[in-house]
Amino acid sequence: MPALTDNHLLRSLRRTLDIILVGGFAVMSVATLGQVLFRYFLHFPATWTEELARATFVMITYFAMAVAVRDKDHIVVDFLLVKLPPRARALLLITFDVVIVAFLALVARGALLMAERMWTAELTMLDGVTQGHLYLGELIAILLMMLYAALDIAVQVRALRGGPVATLPAAGASLDRDLR
Amino acid sequence: MIIYGCLVIGLIALIMIGMPVGFGAGLISAIGGALIFDGIADPRVAAMLARVSLDKIDNFLLLSIPFFLLAGRLMNTGGITERLFGFVSVVVRPLKGGVAHANVLASMLFAGMSGSATADAAGLGAIEMKAMTSQGYKKEFSAGVTAASSLLGPIIPPSIALVAYAVQAEQSVAQLFIAAIVPGFLMAAADMAYVSYKAHKHNFPSGPFAGLREIWASFRRAALAIATPGIIMGGIYFGIFTPTEAAAVAALYAVILGLFIYREFNLRDLAREIRGTMIDTGVIMLIIAFTSAFGDIMIRAQIPMELAAMLTELTSDPTVLLLLMVVFWLVVGCFMAQTPAILILTPILLPIAEQYEIDPIFFGIIMTMTLTLGLLTPPVGMVLYVLVRVTGIPFERLAVISLPYVFLTTALILLLVLFPGLVLFPVRLLF
């Protein structure tokens, strides 16, 4: 089971996502602060900064959602869930994950449709970047969410069968390890 | 109406049995979409979910959430909270129960830099607890004041919860921030009045006047941090920055203070905090993305209008309606965190309030304040969970300790419902 949740590919993916989040945040910050800089210090209001900040935010937010799914960092009302016997709880969690994967598959289909439809619809101020690119980013992030939810199903099924419970690494663990 | 009513009940049931809030709302939206279009296989359902979720996130205002979150995290990591607490505790030392008063005042200042109660409880809360218990205050009393003062975070601007409301209700963040100032200060005043009562009843200690030299020295240590609320609110009010730019400037300011001036963290720490900030943002945005379609479907199905028609038969008085909603929010707050509750309930309840001609800014402040109380009430009081880690006091005991402050804030909310002018006069004065 550890090979399922902690193999080389997943570690690389984890590191890539960390870099996307931190790097994307830096781009978003520079664009937002650059807007102030252009307006007050260079007396030249930049038209592209807000759009760049927004587009970056949309992209990294979807990837942050994928990380939240991976780390099971959801907002959950769990006061009833924790009262269930372990077996019933595992069954319910598997059901949730199956429903989530099905729902995400639907959103992924929609993101693909929208990416095709909007592939040439350029953003107003960012040359070469289209709405379709944003939907493609959404699609990739949704597929990642599906991957992590599916991995969790495998982990929960293993727990249900009485095997060793392999939990996904805790939030914050990867950065401590990977950026060292 | 009945079918869509069942969808609302279905969403509540899914959330109650532990389905992640964002995905629960998304699933119900998919079913609602299937009812509106030609079944779940209709490509318009899938396209709607993908489009509405991206459209909702593609909002410049929402960028302020990660920036304010990062500012709050860095204030804790960068030693800024310690400096703040040091300054206010020197100032109020001669008061009976001085450190307890300092607890409230420091949280008030911190609330002016961050927008989150849990950031206050986890960072500043630990410092406040240590200071109070080391001066002989009972752990329980110290925890109660710390819990109550952390509630100032989502009320005194900037506030992440108010940004979430502004996005859902399409209202001005600047007006919401200005409207929240008086309620925030009244909450702090109510907490300090209760501390004074307890201090006189139990004869809490007071210290000698620190002297102007010591006050000046501690002010100089904290001055750069104290300037943050002024930069944010002054910048927004005088039109220098948009709220999002002000949030980015606040985050940059916290980076400069912690990294270059106080030298309390390094680049690796900063990267870790940014990553944590983005994950917290992802958790919130997942709910925003997938509840937006839910809100659209509810409005398309005329649910808020139908509910308003039903409520009109009960009462035509906006104050009575708002009081009923306060009771409802108090119950909801017990089971659901503040920001998700705002995101889900605003599209349903705001149209009702508008039919009763309740000001949407006033409505947002009352809803946010009431749902904030849920941070201190079981079973999902998030501040209580944070304070269990900080204080070592069991969750159930913390819930009991916090009760007087919950009652106090509830009384304040009722006062504001009866006198909306207390909330709205600064907005009318300044806008």
Side-chain angles (χ1 to χ4, degrees):
Chain A
M1 187 59 64
L4 189 64
T5 57
D6 195 28
N7 60 37
H8 176 71
L9 196 66
L10 287 176
R11 278 199 301 275
S12 300
L13 188 58
R14 175 178 284 270
R15 190 180 165 80
T16 307
L17 284 172
D18 285 343
I19 292 168
I20 289 172
L21 294 192
V22 177
F25 188 92
V27 171
M28 191 175 89
S29 306
V30 168
T32 308
L33 293 165
Q35 190 158 292
V36 181
L37 189 80
F38 273 103
R39 192 166 63 236
Y40 285 106
F41 298 99
L42 305 178
H43 307 288
F44 173 68
T47 46
W48 51 272
T49 46
E50 182 177 324
E51 203 156 51
L52 174 64
R54 265 190 7 236
T56 313
F57 175 68
V58 168
M59 284 299 88
I60 61 170
T61 294
Y62 272 111
F63 287 110
M65 288 182 205
V67 176
V69 172
R70 180 192 71 196
D71 296 344
K72 289 184 269 183
D73 215 346
H74 302 293
I75 293 182
V76 171
V77 178
D78 63 355
F79 71 101
L80 285 177
L81 198 62
V82 293
K83 289 193 172 76
L84 289 175
R87 203 176 162 76
R89 185 163 60 230
L91 266 174
L92 190 58
L93 289 173
I94 291 169
T95 312
F96 286 160
D97 277 336
V98 170
V99 171
I100 287 170
V101 169
F103 167 71
L104 287 171
L106 189 66
V107 184
R109 183 190 179 201
L112 183 63
L113 286 169
M114 291 302 295
E116 284 171 353
R117 199 178 297 169
M118 307 297 279
W119 193 251
T120 53
E122 288 207 0
L123 299 184
T124 325
M125 296 297 166
L126 292 179
D127 287 343
V129 183
T130 70
Q131 282 284 343
H133 294 150
L134 297 186
Y135 282 108
L136 180 63
E138 182 185 6
L139 174 64
I140 294 168
I142 297 284
L143 292 174
L144 280 175
M145 287 184 225
M146 288 172 69
L147 168 72
Y148 287 127
L151 282 175
D152 195 49
I153 292 173
V155 171
Q156 297 294 341
V157 167
R158 180 71 175 245
L160 201 63
R161 286 180 175 169
V165 179
T167 53
L168 294 171
S174 72
L175 196 92
D176 292 341
R177 190 177 64 238
D178 296 340
L179 293 188
R180 197 163 287 155
Chain B
M1 166 74 179
I2 292 170
I3 294 172
Y4 290 102
C6 289
L7 287 183
V8 176
I9 294 166
L11 175 60
I12 294 166
L14 282 177
I15 291 171
M16 286 298 137
I17 60 169
M19 179 117 183
V21 174
F23 287 122
L27 178 68
I28 294 295
S29 307
I31 297 169
L35 290 171
I36 289 171
F37 299 112
D38 293 331
I40 204 83
D42 187 331
R44 286 176 295 178
V45 179
M48 176 199 72
L49 290 170
R51 182 181 50 77
V52 173
S53 66
L54 191 140
D55 280 356
K56 200 69 180 184
I57 294 174
D58 189 7
N59 183 333
F60 192 57
L61 184 55
L62 284 176
L63 272 74
S64 65
I65 291 180
F67 288 135
F68 280 134
L69 281 173
L70 182 67
R73 276 173 169 263
L74 295 182
M75 296 283 169
N76 284 328
T77 317
I80 292 163
T81 43
E82 277 175 336
R83 288 163 190 269
L84 281 181
F85 190 74
F87 167 63
V88 290
S89 53
V90 165
V91 172
V92 295
R93 193 186 292 166
L95 295 178
K96 255 183 187 300
V99 196
H101 287 296
N103 185 327
V104 179
L105 287 173
S107 289
M108 221 171 116
L109 284 173
F110 184 78
M113 305 172 190
S114 174
S116 147
T118 43
D120 179 305
L124 183 58
I127 297 163
E128 292 166 341
M129 281 298 297
K130 194 176 160 194
M132 287 184 73
T133 49
S134 68
Q135 291 202 19
Y137 287 84
K138 279 188 179 169
K139 211 173 172 184
E140 279 78 5
F141 177 70
S142 311
V145 181
T146 305
S149 65
S150 71
L151 293 195
L152 298 170
I155 305 300
I156 291 180
S159 157
I160 289 162
L162 287 176
V163 170
Y165 174 78
V167 169
Q168 288 294 65
E170 296 178 355
Q171 293 296 313
S172 152
V173 173
Q175 287 193 24
L176 280 160
F177 279 4
I178 296 289
I181 291 175
V182 172
F185 276 53
L186 286 175
M187 268 175 82
D191 290 342
M192 288 179 76
Y194 185 73
V195 164
S196 288
Y197 161 72
K198 293 292 270 188
H200 283 91
K201 190 178 172 190
H202 300 291
N203 201 23
F204 287 163
S206 60
F209 176 61
L212 289 177
R213 189 184 295 262
E214 194 182 339
I215 290 176
W216 175 244
S218 62
F219 174 75
R220 280 184 58 188
R221 281 191 79 237
L224 290 173
I226 292 170
T228 317
I231 293 171
I232 297 172
M233 287 311 292
I236 294 172
Y237 175 66
F238 290 109
I240 301 168
F241 314 127
T242 64
T244 302
E245 289 167 353
V249 169
L252 175 70
Y253 190 62
V255 170
I256 291 169
L257 288 185
L259 197 60
F260 300 114
I261 297 177
Y262 301 150
R263 297 185 180 185
E264 295 276 355
F265 56 75
N266 55 30
L267 281 174
R268 184 172 294 140
D269 298 328
L270 177 62
R272 189 183 56 236
E273 295 299 336
I274 289 175
R275 179 185 178 279
T277 296
M278 278 317 301
I279 295 176
D280 288 348
T281 306
V283 171
I284 298 171
M285 292 304 150
L286 197 143
I287 298 173
I288 291 182
F290 294 133
T291 51
S292 50
F294 174 74
D296 278 9
I297 287 165
M298 289 298 110
I299 288 169
R300 204 183 275 225
Q302 301 263 311
I303 294 290
M305 297 74 194
E306 298 279 354
L307 276 175
M310 281 161 62
L311 281 167
T312 314
E313 288 176 18
L314 275 177
T315 178
S316 56
D317 186 337
T319 307
V320 175
L321 176 85
L322 210 46
L323 289 173
L324 287 172
M325 285 192 181
V326 165
V327 174
F328 174 65
W329 291 326
L330 283 171
V331 176
V332 170
C334 291
F335 298 98
M336 198 187 285
Q338 181 194 34
T339 305
I342 288 172
L343 293 169
I344 288 178
L345 295 177
T346 301
I348 301 173
L349 299 181
L350 183 62
I352 300 174
E354 282 174 335
Q355 287 202 15
Y356 279 74
E357 296 182 352
I358 296 171
D359 187 290
I361 298 288
F362 176 63
F363 181 81
I365 298 292
I366 298 296
M367 173 155 79
T368 305
M369 279 184 83
T370 315
L371 289 169
T372 299
L373 284 175
L375 294 166
L376 294 190
T377 51
V380 291
M382 276 160 77
V383 163
L384 296 183
Y385 284 113
V386 172
L387 285 177
V388 167
R389 284 209 306 272
V390 172
T391 65
I393 298 172
F395 181 86
E396 298 78 11
R397 183 80 196 117
L398 274 173
V400 174
I401 292 165
S402 306
L403 263 185
Y405 301 97
V406 172
F407 288 135
L408 206 61
T409 310
T410 307
L412 178 62
I413 291 166
L414 297 179
L415 182 81
L416 294 175
V417 169
L418 296 174
F419 300 100
L422 285 171
V423 176
L424 291 173
F425 87 87
V427 181
R428 288 174 184 151
L429 204 68
L430 298 173
F431 290 95

